[in-house]
Amino acid sequence: MDLSIVVPSYNEEESLGELVAWIGRVMADTKWTYEIIIVDDGSRDATMKVVEDLSEHNNAVKAISFRRNYGKSAALNVGFAAAQGSVVITMDADLQDSPDEIPALMNMILVEGYDMVSGWKKVRHDPLSKTIPSKIFNGVVRNISGIQLHDFNCGLKAYRSDVVKSVEVYGEMHRYIPLLAKEAGFNKIGEKVVTHYERKFGVSKFGIERTIKGFLDLLSVTFMSKFGKRPMHLFGALGTLMFFIGFVAALWLGSKKIWCVCNGIPMPLLTSSPYFYLALTCMILGTQLFLAGFIAELVTRNAPERNVYMIAKKIGVE
Ligand code: UDP
Ligand code: MG
């Protein structure tokens, strides 16, 4: 199969019929074989009923339905696992992303050789309360990740199949797939300006809290990609540094005291000095950090499937 279109859908009963018909019209003009995987993210409206009706008349429509709402990342994750196409395109269900972009995205992957292409809603039809936080957010992520995309959060993205099979998204991490992809060794990440429409039916499923969750996930993603497989290098280094500072400080205080005692100079009790407690705290924190590093190493060792290496090609071996 050439193309899998993954559509996460949460309470989108009004939009799906129109979306599937639109995708059908676009794909009819091309030679590619395709499937549409609709992931119903625990919708409480008739989304699943609509999808069942659609799949009766259209073999390309496939669906996975969650028992409850898990979030867009989870929906994408199961969609990615099920996708059979050699290119995977994700698209929102709410008709804000245009299926007309599919052929151009396909060509960027198949002909121009991109590993992934992210849409950029350059002209955006959303309220200011959304576009301003989004600008800040994208700036920060660009700086931290070094990936020059303008619109990490765009629902319309295209991937070479290898990419989606080697990233794992959960929480709210769908907007960091470019970072995860880069971390997995896929360097050719492109961008395409895409048309964006106003939401036609229903309401947006994300509020302002998305920014906060988004930043927390950014911390996790950067931490995981830097130290996920070698936590001791972070905790051990910090722990050693802390302990060293505390130890040297304690040593200094102690020797000063002994020197004073030996020379008969009066000096207050060590425990009456704040520096003593600071030194103590440093040593305790240092030990704790070190232990955290050991425990984290044990945890990563216990999840060997998370320690896979990304293999690009094999010759003569299974
Ligand atoms: N979505 C989902 N699960 C959720 C929230 C959203 O599958 O918990 C889907 C939703 O149905 C839509 C896409 O994710 O297809 C983007 O959501 P929305 O349009 O509400 O986001 P916005 O366009 O406002 O950023
Ligand atoms: Mg939308």
Side-chain angles (χ1 to χ4, degrees):
M1 185 161 327
D2 297 318
L3 171 66
S4 298
I5 302 169
V6 176
V7 184
S9 314
Y10 180 45
N11 296 340
E12 309 279 8
E13 54 181 6
E14 304 102 325
S15 311
L16 284 169
E18 211 168 304
L19 181 73
V20 168
W22 190 354
I23 293 175
R25 283 198 303 278
V26 172
M27 293 308 289
D29 293 337
T30 70
K31 56 185 188 316
W32 295 307
T33 51
Y34 72 105
E35 61 180 356
I36 306 174
I37 302 176
I38 298 174
V39 187
D40 161 36
D41 187 11
S43 299
R44 281 183 296 264
D45 66 356
T47 293
M48 214 37 210
K49 177 82 187 55
V50 171
V51 173
E52 272 163 20
D53 290 347
L54 286 170
S55 70
E56 264 170 33
H57 303 110
N58 187 340
N59 285 334
V61 176
K62 303 173 182 177
I64 299 169
S65 179
F66 284 153
R67 235 167 241 293
R68 69 168 174 84
N69 181 241
Y70 283 95
K72 189 175 176 181
S73 290
L76 288 175
N77 208 23
V78 299
F80 287 163
Q84 291 173 340
S86 39
V87 175
V88 176
I89 290 184
T90 61
M91 184 178 286
D92 287 355
D94 55 1
L95 297 168
Q96 289 196 274
D97 296 333
S98 162
D100 292 334
E101 308 285 352
I102 292 175
L105 288 171
M106 281 292 273
N107 279 326
M108 285 180 81
I109 304 272
L110 294 174
V111 182
E112 291 174 47
Y114 282 98
D115 291 319
M116 80 167 277
V117 180
S118 175
W120 172 15
K121 302 168 287 201
K122 201 168 181 180
V123 182
R124 206 175 153 175
H125 297 278
D126 275 324
L128 272 184
S129 62
K130 234 178 194 178
T131 50
I132 291 174
S134 164
K135 279 228 162 65
I136 301 172
F137 175 83
N138 280 305
V140 173
V141 181
R142 238 187 340 261
N143 270 311
I144 291 184
S145 68
I147 302 173
Q148 296 306 316
L149 294 181
H150 292 88
D151 193 359
F152 284 86
N153 210 2
C154 187
L156 184 56
K157 290 195 176 79
Y159 310 87
R160 190 179 298 287
S161 161
D162 294 347
V163 178
V164 300
K165 300 290 180 191
S166 51
V167 299
E168 187 189 359
V169 277
Y170 56 93
E172 303 267 309
M173 284 181 197
H174 49 270
R175 48 186 80 96
Y176 301 119
I177 298 179
L179 279 72
L180 299 171
K182 190 180 167 204
E183 165 64 13
F186 298 100
N187 290 320
K188 203 157 179 219
I189 299 177
E191 186 167 55
K192 178 180 187 310
V193 175
V194 296
T195 343
H196 184 242
Y197 296 98
E198 232 166 289
R199 202 178 230 286
K200 204 163 164 188
F201 307 104
V203 288
S204 171
K205 310 301 183 305
F206 295 99
I208 188 77
E209 80 282 356
R210 124 159 87 191
T211 324
I212 299 158
K213 288 186 190 165
F215 277 116
L216 291 176
D217 279 339
L218 178 61
L219 288 181
S220 312
V221 168
T222 33
F223 171 77
M224 286 305 289
S225 63
K226 275 218 172 74
F227 298 105
K229 292 186 179 94
R230 47 186 190 102
M232 194 55 176
H233 289 184
L234 176 69
F235 292 111
L238 280 178
T240 314
L241 184 71
M242 282 289 247
F243 189 88
F244 185 73
I245 294 172
F247 185 74
V248 168
L251 206 65
W252 164 248
L253 289 173
S255 19
K256 204 166 94 184
K257 174 80 180 179
I258 292 171
W259 186 79
C260 287
V261 170
C262 290
N263 291 288
I265 303 168
M267 194 191 158
L269 279 178
L270 266 190
T271 48
S272 63
S273 152
Y275 298 113
F276 173 76
Y277 292 102
L278 281 177
L280 206 62
T281 314
C282 275
M283 284 198 285
I284 294 172
L285 281 180
T287 320
Q288 291 287 354
L289 279 169
F290 217 89
L291 282 177
F294 270 128
I295 292 172
E297 284 287 334
L298 290 175
V299 173
T300 51
R301 200 132 308 215
N302 264 332
E305 74 281 2
R306 299 253 162 89
N307 287 326
V308 286
Y309 302 104
M310 297 304 155
I311 292 168
K313 202 179 251 172
K314 287 183 182 174
I315 296 171
V317 286
E318 268 306 295

